[in-house]
Amino acid sequence: MNRFSRYLLREVLPLLVAAFVALLLLLMLAALLGVLADALARGVPPGLVARYMLLKLPAAVGPGLPLALLFAALVALTRLGQDGEVKAALLLGVGPRRFAAPVLALGLAVSVVAFLNNELVVPRSERAAGEVERDILLLSPETVLVEGTFFTDALGRSILIGAIRPGGRFRDVAVITPGTSRGPRELIRAAAGTARPEEGVWLLEDIRFQALRESSLTLDIAAAEAVLPVRGLTARSSAVGDLVYLPLGELAARIRGAGASPAPAERTALQRKFAEPLAATAFALFAVALGLYTFRSGTNVGFVAALLLTFVYYATWSVTKLLGAQGTVPPWLAAWTPVALYALGGVVLLALARRR
């Protein structure tokens, strides 16, 4: 690595670290102002909340690290052009290739780190975060549960809460024990319920218990109240929150198990496994191209413009991944469109800069 390459990296790396830390702090602040702030107010130990936040950090690294690189490279390279350092380097015989090589190498390194993090660290941290969610749920159920959403327990039962009231009070509770493909095995309905976190149970009121066999009712019992143990309850929906958090082998196995028509969500997640880390390389190319173009054209790209270009990717990524999971657009198009936009933009800007 020559002196100019080391100089470029010294300009980009501090901004990359600062942008990455700032992004993580913003994500943590958003979470604390939402559900976790309510959990703290209701007496959940701060150590438990801090552990949950720490375990959620690896999931934020995946999209956060490439975005931080985009912002850092844009700010650093446009600053070099505005201060005349790019012009001085070109006059000293430093060609565009030597100018671009260290930044592209950094982008590729970030892509590798992001992929390894998503594949090796995130699946474990998400499972551990789920365990902490269970602990928070027992101490303060109303801060984690979502009205009208199914949750599962250690016995595989699906639990639905129609309404949540302050003080751990519930309304319209349903507990479904799965059976065969023809229907559930047991169904419990309760008009109301109260959480007793110190005992790890819910006290259900106005109970209707039904046992079924092959969709036929075999037992129907009514009771004034009953106790539902919730030690194994998870605060997550029975569906996986984001399939991209699954290890690559497990995700591929789910697609193979679906046969000839796997669900769009699984296929989109598989494409995202590779597209999202490679976004860092596309960002590096775009930043280099924009830096050379602004130098050639005399255009000024400031701090606000760098933020806007960073936000454009986040907005596009958020929309396309949702469309792909719903099957509205092909999975490959949903996963690769945000990355392709910046890669194509970099190629176009390089061509324009060369003409100038």
Side-chain angles (χ1 to χ4, degrees):
M1 184 180 296
N2 56 44
R3 181 178 298 178
F4 184 73
S5 298
R6 291 195 297 269
Y7 175 72
L8 276 180
L9 292 180
R10 284 198 300 269
E11 289 292 315
V12 176
L13 284 175
L15 289 171
L16 172 61
V17 173
F20 182 59
V21 171
L23 183 61
L24 291 183
L25 289 176
L26 286 174
L27 292 173
M28 293 176 65
L29 180 62
L32 285 172
L33 292 177
V35 174
L36 296 180
D38 193 17
L40 286 171
R42 294 178 183 276
V44 176
L48 195 61
V49 175
R51 184 183 174 192
Y52 176 78
M53 297 295 297
L54 184 63
L55 291 171
K56 295 296 290 184
L57 282 180
V61 170
L65 193 56
L67 283 173
L69 174 65
L70 173 61
F71 176 78
L74 286 173
V75 172
L77 295 177
T78 54
R79 200 277 304 168
L80 290 176
Q82 294 166 9
D83 292 351
E85 296 184 37
V86 174
K87 183 177 182 179
L90 294 175
L91 290 174
L92 292 173
V94 177
R97 291 183 180 179
R98 290 175 60 187
F99 184 81
V103 182
L104 290 176
L106 179 60
L108 184 59
V110 170
S111 294
V112 172
V113 171
F115 179 80
L116 293 177
N117 171 75
N118 292 345
E119 184 65 18
L120 302 178
V121 181
V122 172
R124 296 180 181 179
S125 67
E126 285 295 297
R127 285 194 294 268
E131 296 176 0
V132 178
E133 284 182 355
R134 288 196 292 267
D135 296 335
I136 296 176
L137 176 64
L138 291 175
L139 294 171
S140 183
E142 64 273 20
T143 65
V144 180
L145 294 178
V146 180
E147 294 181 355
T149 303
F150 277 99
F151 300 87
T152 59
D153 66 1
L155 300 178
R157 299 178 299 186
S158 297
I159 301 175
L160 173 67
I161 297 178
I164 302 174
R165 301 288 182 262
R169 292 282 299 174
F170 310 133
R171 299 288 301 176
D172 301 326
V173 181
V175 182
I176 303 172
T177 302
T180 64
S181 58
R182 299 186 61 181
R185 189 170 71 250
E186 294 176 354
L187 176 61
I188 302 174
R189 292 191 180 94
T194 305
R196 293 184 175 179
E198 67 281 357
E199 302 175 18
V201 300
W202 291 354
L203 179 62
L204 302 182
E205 305 169 8
D206 193 5
I207 308 299
R208 182 79 177 272
F209 174 82
Q210 295 175 321
L212 303 99
R213 177 177 296 178
E214 301 297 331
S215 300
S216 298
L217 183 64
T218 60
L219 184 63
D220 192 344
I221 300 176
E225 62 180 30
V227 174
L228 177 71
V230 292
R231 286 291 180 186
L233 189 66
T234 175
R236 296 183 174 190
S237 170
S238 55
V240 178
D242 195 339
L243 293 172
V244 79
Y245 294 154
L246 294 175
L248 184 59
E250 184 176 342
L251 183 58
R254 289 181 63 153
I255 294 176
R256 289 194 301 268
S261 56
E266 278 81 358
R267 291 187 290 142
T268 302
L270 182 62
Q271 295 287 337
R272 288 174 55 202
K273 274 281 189 182
F274 301 96
E276 291 176 5
L278 283 175
T281 306
F283 292 160
L285 173 63
F286 179 79
V288 169
L290 186 61
L292 291 174
Y293 175 78
T294 54
F295 161 71
R296 296 289 190 185
S297 63
T299 307
N300 183 15
V301 178
F303 182 83
V304 175
L307 281 177
L308 179 61
L309 289 170
T310 305
F311 175 76
V312 167
Y313 170 80
Y314 181 80
T316 307
W317 167 75
S318 301
V319 172
T320 55
K321 73 173 184 178
L322 180 61
L323 294 177
Q326 293 176 343
T328 306
V329 299
W332 64 269
L333 184 62
W336 291 98
T337 293
V339 182
L341 287 176
Y342 281 81
L344 181 61
V347 172
V348 172
L349 288 173
L350 282 176
L352 293 176
R354 186 173 182 179
R355 285 186 178 184
R356 292 178 179 272

